[in-house]
Amino acid sequence: MEREADVVVVGGGVVGTAILSSLARYDLRCLLIEKEPDIAAGTTKANSAVLHAGFDAPAGSCKAKMNVRGNALYHALEKELALDIQWTGSLVAARTAEEKAQLEALKARGEANGVPDLEIWDGGEAREREPNLSGEICAALWAPTAGICWPFGIAAAFAENAAQNGAEIWRDCPVTGVMVENGRVTGVETPRGAVKTRFVVNAAGVYADRVSAMAGDRSFSLHPRRGEYILFDRTAQEKMVRGIVFPVPTERSKGILVCATTHGNVFVGPNAMDVEDREDAAVTAAGMEEILAGAKKLLPEIPLGMAITEFSGLRAVSSTEDFILGPSSKTDGLIQAAGIQSPGLTAAPAIAEAVMEYIVRATGAARRSSYRPG
């Protein structure tokens, strides 16, 4: 049976559901299609759950702009959608004079990105905040606007908000093709039938390059990068941390951190392993050794007896090393939200805002008079 929508969003992670929620504020017929039986079943379900302040991404990058804007938007959305967020702030801990110098560079980058109230503390000040930190830590970058959240709950809140404002969500329904005529999107194909549409928003996570190729845009590629974690019981928090503690980042990753969760647990991880299989969420003995060794540089006494589970997740790393966001240069009506690795969770509301603004300009859609927040 053929259906019709103004916009089809492909992918039901936090980015796709945020986009659907933003579009539902306007008089648009919107449909989100997710291949898994539930939303938030990919990258969204297995990540560090950190709302980053925005000092990591290179100044001027799409990541930097979306991170800082997204962080600010969460402060507004928190009450409207009853999101599970704790604004704990974050520390980046330096153990050597060389790493301390890198903190100065991070602070300068953050200020260039528009991150407010960054401070560099000495080791004693850092341990006042987090008493269990290593005595080797000599300095730390404090970012008060960072926080922790429950990513699945946030994606669910976006989806529920969109649904109560008229959007549809099809789960357990992969997109099998994108229909294009004369260089323009005309619809998508699914096991439930075809859907005619003017716009396809590609928020398909580690599969976004394949969805893009279906529409005739092969301008980028993605590869999955796996991160492994160890989760600790709630009783471990007094022996570990109350907030977020990063190491000084590397070129490939923000590093192995020690972080609390909104449910009172603590985790260590992730590492960063490029893999071939886009479903490879394995947990390995070598990975566990790697993340424990990294975490012990921040927190010498890790209470391993309080570990309750291990898990891993995949993030989509693009060939551009930045988010791929905006209308395709190859196919009219295809809008990319691809390569959304860290800080994608933080950036999700800003990505959604950018996509929504483009579609509203293109369609002239009016605000939905019956819009229901929350």
Side-chain angles (χ1 to χ4, degrees), residues 51-57 67-68 71 89-92 102-121 125 140-146 246:
L51 298 180
H52 295 279
F55 51 77
D56 276 294
N67 185 343
V68 175
N71 182 291
S90 69
L91 292 168
V92 180
Q102 289 179 260
L103 296 184
E104 296 286 355
L106 276 180
K107 182 173 183 287
R109 184 190 301 170
E111 289 168 346
N113 289 348
V115 181
D117 303 323
L118 295 171
E119 298 177 3
I120 292 183
W121 292 354
E125 289 174 302
L141 176 64
W142 168 244
T145 57
F246 295 99

Side-chain angles (χ1 to χ4, degrees), residues 56-229:
D56 276 294
S61 66
C62 185
K63 285 181 181 178
K65 294 172 185 175
M66 294 296 108
N67 185 343
V68 175
R69 176 62 178 161
N71 182 291
L73 287 171
Y74 271 118
H75 283 80
L77 290 168
E78 180 181 10
K79 291 183 179 179
E80 179 181 334
L81 300 182
L83 303 181
D84 188 358
I85 297 173
Q86 296 174 19
W87 298 107
T88 59
S90 69
L91 292 168
V92 180
R95 300 165 63 241
T96 65
E98 181 182 358
E99 288 186 345
K100 184 177 179 180
Q102 289 179 260
L103 296 184
E104 296 286 355
L106 276 180
K107 182 173 183 287
R109 184 190 301 170
E111 289 168 346
N113 289 348
V115 181
D117 303 323
L118 295 171
E119 298 177 3
I120 292 183
W121 292 354
D122 63 30
E125 289 174 302
R127 279 180 288 276
E128 284 181 18
R129 183 78 186 181
E130 296 287 0
N132 297 315
L133 292 183
S134 168
E136 294 183 359
I137 291 170
C138 60
L141 176 64
W142 168 244
T145 57
I148 57 178
C149 68
W150 185 31
F152 181 86
I154 287 178
F158 285 143
E160 289 167 4
N161 169 257
Q164 74 178 7
N165 286 289
E168 285 189 80
I169 298 173
W170 289 1
R171 295 171 295 170
D172 206 9
C173 184
V175 168
T176 55
V178 179
M179 297 179 284
V180 178
E181 294 180 10
N182 300 318
R184 178 166 189 90
V185 165
T186 60
V188 298
E189 297 168 344
T190 82
R192 295 191 188 184
V195 182
K196 288 184 177 180
T197 188
R198 291 181 58 191
F199 296 97
V200 170
V201 180
N202 178 17
V206 295
Y207 291 96
D209 56 342
R210 294 184 179 179
V211 171
S212 184
M214 289 178 188
D217 185 346
R218 296 173 175 82
S219 60
F220 67 92
S221 62
L222 300 175
H223 71 268
R225 182 170 292 162
R226 188 179 67 208
E228 297 167 82
Y229 297 84

